[in-house]
């Protein structure tokens, strides 16, 4: 092959690599990306309405939380929070730097802007809503909410608390295909019919997760796609073990690599109001 041909081939390969490196990350399939904007006095941020999903009526005194990523499963403190929505359910959050964000609406009966959600509170559903904040524009994001019928599934999550101990792995379905937008959960004992002790980061498009743990020890693992309520029949659910919880030893200061959890349709009985019990 002539030197000129070799050079042309190398340039083509380099161009393809650059295109791949610059390609935007694919969002999980359960994310709805909103790209509606309006200009208002040069403000930069996010605005919209919080509405009852069933009736379409506005919800007053709700709070809107803005997260920069999904490491915390969109639970806990957010980077930005709105003032209470007005009588028309409208909110406005300004001075949000340009970038991609996830937007969640919540209203607690207590009137508090933060804290655990309880039955009777309202929240925007599991489908994640993201938007791109553009300088000099307001991203318009309307948020339909539904009532909480059972307590939130997690009592705490360490997805955003990085440690030197944990588990890296992948969640797949029965056919070996990755399950994006899901998470692994860990328990410190084999009583897994309760809220988990720890949760991983959300899986990416390849089904990969990272589960950070506070220390080495014995853990029991499962996998979910929702952060509340117990699994319903047919919902993908994973368990480390052959039908029964199997202990996994994690060494202090080390990561178990390449663990695979298979998520299969849940076959247990659904019990309303038992959200703290996986099945």
């Amino acid at each position: 092959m002539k030197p000129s041909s070799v050079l042309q081939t190398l340039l083509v390969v380099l161009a393809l690599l650059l295109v791949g490196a610059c390609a935007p990350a694919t969002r999980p399939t359960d994310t709805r990306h909103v790209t509606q904007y309006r200009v208002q006095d040069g403000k930069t941020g996010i605005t919209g309405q919080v509405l009852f999903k069933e009736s379409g009526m506005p919800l007053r005194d709700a709070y809107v939380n803005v997260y920069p990523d999904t490491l915390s499963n969109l639970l806990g403190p957010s980077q930005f929070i709105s003032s209470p929505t007005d009588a028309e359910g409208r909110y406005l959050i300004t001075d949000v730097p340009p970038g991609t964000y996830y937007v969640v609406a919540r209203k607690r009966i207590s009137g508090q802007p933060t804290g655990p959600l309880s039955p009777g509170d309202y929240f925007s559903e599991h489908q994640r809503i993201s938007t791109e904040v553009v300088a000099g524009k307001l991203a318009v994001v309307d948020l339909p909410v539904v009532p909480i019928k059972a307590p939130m599934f997690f009592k705490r999550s360490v997805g955003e608390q990085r440690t030197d101990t944990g588990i890296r792995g992948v969640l797949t379905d029965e056919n070996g295909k990755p399950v994006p937008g899901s998470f692994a959960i860990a328990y410190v004992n084999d009583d897994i019919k309760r809220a988990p002790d720890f949760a991983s980061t959300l899986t990416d498009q390849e089904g990969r997760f990272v589960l950070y743990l506070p220390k080495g020890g014995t853990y029991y693992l499962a996998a979910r796609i929702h952060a509340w309520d117990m699994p319903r029949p047919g919902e993908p659910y994973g368990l480390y073990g052959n039908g029964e919880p199997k202990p996994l030893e994690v060494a202090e200061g080390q990561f178990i690599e390449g663990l695979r959890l298979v998520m299969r349709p849940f076959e247990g009985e659904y019990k309303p109001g038992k959200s703290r019990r996986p099945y």
Side-chain angles (χ1 to χ4, degrees), residues 116-274:
L117 293 174
S118 302
D121 295 343
Y122 289 89
F123 72 116
S124 48
E125 290 187 286
H126 183 66
Q127 182 188 45
R128 296 173 179 86
I129 299 178
S130 67
T131 191
E132 187 80 20
V133 172
V134 179
K137 295 182 179 180
L138 293 174
V140 181
V141 182
D142 292 337
L143 299 163
V145 297
V146 295
I148 288 279
K149 295 181 180 179
M152 291 297 285
F153 186 64
F154 288 145
K155 61 182 178 183
R156 65 178 180 265
S157 170
V158 297
E160 67 229 345
Q161 300 173 11
R162 289 171 170 77
T163 67
D164 61 358
T165 303
I167 303 166
R168 294 188 180 93
V170 62
L171 303 183
T172 71
D173 63 16
E174 293 178 289
N175 298 316
K177 295 182 179 180
V179 183
S182 301
F183 45 88
I185 51 181
Y187 302 81
V188 296
N189 55 46
D190 62 359
D191 177 18
I192 65 172
K193 296 181 179 181
R194 59 181 178 85
D197 296 301
F198 308 105
S200 74
T201 58
L202 284 173
T203 54
D204 61 15
Q205 287 300 111
E206 301 301 319
R208 295 172 297 195
F209 69 86
V210 181
L211 176 57
Y212 296 103
L213 299 170
K215 61 182 180 179
T218 302
Y219 295 90
Y220 297 80
L221 302 185
R224 291 291 311 270
I225 62 170
H226 294 303
W228 59 83
D229 210 353
M230 64 172 289
R232 295 172 181 268
E235 177 185 328
Y237 179 81
L239 178 67
Y240 182 72
N242 187 21
E244 294 292 335
K246 179 181 178 181
L248 183 65
E249 294 295 329
V250 182
E252 182 75 25
Q254 296 183 20
F255 271 84
I256 291 178
E257 303 284 352
L259 184 77
R260 181 170 177 258
L261 277 174
V262 178
M263 301 182 73
R264 298 182 173 87
F266 181 68
E267 297 180 348
E269 179 186 359
Y270 176 75
K271 299 178 181 177
K274 299 292 185 181

Side-chain angles (χ1 to χ4, degrees), residues 45-47 63-70 72 74-82 91-97 99-106 129-133 139 141 143:
I46 306 172
T47 190
Y63 291 88
V64 175
N65 298 86
V66 178
Y67 295 84
D69 52 47
T70 59
S72 65
L74 305 184
L75 300 172
S78 58
Q79 184 172 0
F80 302 95
I81 186 170
S82 72
Y91 70 93
L92 172 64
I93 306 175
T94 58
D95 299 324
V96 179
T100 300
Y101 298 91
Y102 293 81
V103 190
V104 181
R106 302 182 178 109
I129 299 178
S130 67
T131 191
E132 187 80 20
V133 172
V141 182
L143 299 163

